[in-house]
Amino acid sequence: MKMKLLIGAFMTIGVMQGAVAADTITFTGTVDSNTCTVDVGSSASPTITLPTVGAGSLTAAGKTAGATPFSINIKGCSQTADDVAVRFTAHNPDGANLGVSSATGSATNISIQLLNGSAGSSPLVFNNGIATTAKQTTSSGTTTYIMQKIR
């Protein structure tokens, strides 16, 4: 047992010497006394599945189908947080909406629209692939969004 610890110590010293010889690395950050927990549907990495819709429901430009709500929860803040906003980043923006996969067999002329609130509310607009909600002040709460298919 003592031999294993001694070998571990020598290996650590060898690694530390290599790190000292490296170029300068600068780290920056912020320490904030207010911390919150954010999750979507009680998951840190959610998948939101839109329902299957018939092609006949999306026959004309601007038609929507498959409205699916999801919630973003803010909780456990140590104090009231100001300037809370949600930022959505699109990997495949399609104008003001989210694009769909271009894989073989995928639907064409369809995008995903993100609404702030309930069905029929204003869509969030993706400018340069980014959409940001209005800022609010909160210590906890749930905000609901709707995703739907749009032609």
Side-chain angles (χ1 to χ4, degrees), residues 10-11 21 40 43-44 49 88 90 94 109 113 120 124 134-135 138-140 147-148:
F10 286 129
M11 288 176 31
V40 178
S43 175
T49 303
F88 295 95
D94 182 16
N109 298 321
Q113 187 177 54
L124 292 173
K135 294 178 181 178
T138 187
S139 59
S140 66
M147 292 188 74
Q148 61 187 7

Side-chain angles (χ1 to χ4, degrees), residues 88 93 95-96 124-132:
F88 295 95
L124 292 173
V125 177
F126 285 82
N127 292 316
N128 299 318
I130 297 172
T132 305

Side-chain angles (χ1 to χ4, degrees), residues 11-107:
M11 288 176 31
T12 301
I13 291 170
V15 171
M16 289 173 54
Q17 288 175 344
V20 172
D23 290 334
T24 301
I25 299 174
T26 303
F27 296 94
T28 62
T30 303
V31 176
D32 192 338
S33 61
N34 191 13
T35 57
C36 302
T37 302
V38 177
D39 66 47
V40 178
S42 300
S43 175
S45 299
T47 297
I48 300 164
T49 303
L50 297 173
T52 300
V53 297
S57 62
L58 295 167
T59 56
K63 291 276 233 169
T64 62
T68 304
F70 68 97
S71 298
I72 296 179
N73 307 303
I74 298 172
K75 56 189 173 188
C77 298
S78 56
Q79 58 190 13
T80 300
D82 55 355
D83 295 337
V84 175
V86 179
R87 179 180 184 194
F88 295 95
T89 304
H91 293 285
N92 186 22
D94 182 16
N97 299 308
L98 301 167
V100 296
S101 171
S102 58
T104 302
S106 295

